Amino acid sequence: MPQNNHGKSLLAIGECMVELASFDHSEELCRLGFAGDTLNALIYAKRWDSSLKCAFYSAIGVDNFSNKVLSFFERHEIDAEYVARSRNRNIGLYSIVIDREGERSFDYWREQSAARSMMSLHQARNTVIKDVDIIFFSGIALSIMSENDKQNLIELVSACKSGGVKIAFDPNYRPAMWSGHDHAKLWFDKAYQLSDIALPGLDDHRAVYGHENVNDIVDHLNSLGCREFVVKAGKQGMLAYVDGVCVCQQPFKPEKQTDTTAAGDSFAGVYLAARLNDKDVATSVAAADAMARQVVQYHGAIVPQESTEKAKNEFKQQCGKGEY
């Protein structure tokens, strides 16, 4: 992987949105924040390993909330070098409603989101990605773009891979963002074919591919040449594979489940942070699982900083190690 002067580096591609979260099963109380699947992962990666250089590739507007998000990036130590600005589009917005079991539903206002035009905005400013070890993107990043920009994103990722950057992909399927299963399948497969690390979910694959079990996913990703992947399989937990062989299975049993928002995002971020630190796959899964266990116990995508320390302590106890 490319070397830089700042230690290891993770670049996430995606969309940052204003988050309105409704708690206490009431629409009368909402908390305002900023979030997005790959951005959430980036924040948790940085929290887990403060030595990582974490940068976000996206676009925002020049509206009030877009200006506020720059302060949000700074507060979380996210490099905004690759965040373009649009003068005629704004930052998107979404709301979350949580049910009594901690499951969530979403509503979106993102048709005029600047992130939908990030590829053309970056092309106009001649953005060059450099000194990156892993690029992480998702099916959501693909889904918000035009067909031409989807292809442009795939070509950008492919060019970076040819330059020695490792590629990580999470399908993170949202049905409303695609014209049908075949549409999503086409672009997911393009992404998987480029991926050194994949983070598929059984629910996503069941919806898109009709895969009924983990073995179906394993066979499919093996056929596409993906060598390392972790399948998030609900009650079965997380199953990690390298070269088609299952190297670990980690059950997922949080003490309590308040809100599942960003559970998968936090898992992705910490897993990638651990792999960048040359931890083996099983150890990386254990670290990511410890973080996700904490995240589901809080409301919202970005939970209190103290949860990271709790996760690290749990991880150390589980692995019997004095230090991470």
Side-chain angles (χ1 to χ4, degrees):
M1 292 187 287
Q3 298 300 312
N4 56 64
N5 297 322
H6 307 280
K8 297 295 179 68
S9 178
L10 174 63
L11 175 71
I13 299 174
E15 180 180 24
C16 176
M17 305 181 74
V18 177
E19 176 190 77
L20 292 178
S22 177
F23 301 143
D24 300 325
H25 318 295
S26 169
E27 303 261 336
E28 297 178 2
L29 179 63
C30 288
R31 187 178 72 185
L32 186 149
F34 297 101
D37 65 334
T38 57
L39 174 62
N40 300 339
L42 197 63
I43 289 171
Y44 286 109
K46 182 67 176 181
R47 284 187 177 184
W48 193 263
D49 180 4
S50 61
S51 73
L52 282 182
K53 180 181 178 182
C54 291
F56 194 48
Y57 185 104
S58 188
I60 58 176
V62 292
D63 56 288
N64 183 51
F65 283 127
S66 290
N67 291 331
K68 287 181 182 297
V69 83
L70 292 177
S71 298
F72 176 83
F73 291 156
E74 183 176 2
R75 186 163 69 252
H76 289 282
E77 300 183 82
I78 302 302
D79 189 335
E81 174 186 359
Y82 300 110
V83 177
R85 307 294 296 270
S86 170
R87 294 191 175 278
N88 54 19
R89 286 177 174 266
N90 297 330
I91 191 170
L93 181 148
Y94 75 100
S95 68
I96 310 174
V97 176
I98 311 297
D99 68 19
R100 297 186 184 278
E101 283 71 49
E103 294 299 336
R104 68 267 196 257
S105 59
F106 300 90
D107 290 300
Y108 295 93
W109 295 265
R110 68 187 340 162
E111 285 303 312
Q112 291 300 311
S113 168
R116 297 175 74 98
S117 300
M118 73 173 83
M119 300 310 296
S120 58
L121 290 167
H122 280 288
Q123 184 178 23
R125 74 176 207 169
N126 297 314
T127 300
V128 176
I129 295 175
K130 56 186 178 180
D131 295 333
V132 172
D133 293 291
I134 290 181
I135 289 177
F136 176 53
F137 72 114
S138 74
I140 291 178
L142 282 167
S143 72
I144 66 174
M145 297 179 180
S146 68
E147 295 301 284
N148 284 340
D149 279 350
K150 285 181 176 64
Q151 186 58 37
N152 289 337
L153 175 57
I154 291 295
E155 290 175 2
L156 172 67
V157 170
S158 179
C160 290
K161 182 180 177 72
S162 296
V165 179
K166 284 194 172 181
I167 307 303
F169 176 69
D170 183 339
N172 218 349
Y173 178 59
R174 297 289 184 269
M177 301 300 293
W178 299 93
S179 62
H181 299 156
D182 289 341
H183 186 210
K185 191 185 307 180
L186 169 70
W187 293 102
F188 286 2
D189 282 354
K190 287 176 182 283
Y192 278 138
Q193 286 169 340
L194 291 171
S195 298
D196 298 283
I197 299 172
L199 299 166
L202 179 55
D203 288 343
D204 288 345
H205 271 248
R206 183 178 287 119
V208 175
Y209 295 94
H211 292 162
E212 290 300 328
N213 53 57
V214 172
N215 288 338
D216 289 342
I217 298 175
V218 173
D219 290 344
H220 187 70
L221 294 195
N222 284 341
S223 73
L224 295 174
C226 189
R227 296 186 59 246
E228 176 181 330
F229 49 90
V230 182
V231 182
K232 295 164 286 185
K235 293 181 179 179
Q236 296 178 62
M238 283 67 66
L239 296 92
Y241 292 80
V242 177
D243 293 330
V245 177
C246 184
V247 296
C248 76
Q249 180 173 359
Q250 179 82 32
F252 185 66
K253 296 180 180 179
E255 294 180 11
K256 62 177 180 177
Q257 183 166 293
T258 300
D259 178 0
T260 59
T261 302
D265 304 338
S266 63
F267 183 93
V270 173
Y271 183 82
L272 295 176
R275 294 295 284 139
L276 277 167
N277 268 292
D278 300 320
K279 303 300 180 185
D280 62 42
V281 168
T283 302
S284 300
V285 168
D289 172 67
M291 188 71 253
R293 289 174 195 264
Q294 287 295 320
V295 168
V296 299
Q297 297 181 47
Y298 296 84
H299 285 296
I302 307 302
V303 303
Q305 176 68 44
E306 66 195 43
S307 65
T308 305
E309 297 309 312
K310 291 180 181 178
K312 286 184 176 181
N313 289 334
E314 177 186 323
F315 167 69
K316 291 172 186 176
Q317 292 173 4
Q318 179 180 341
C319 296
K321 299 178 181 179
E323 295 183 3
Y324 169 63

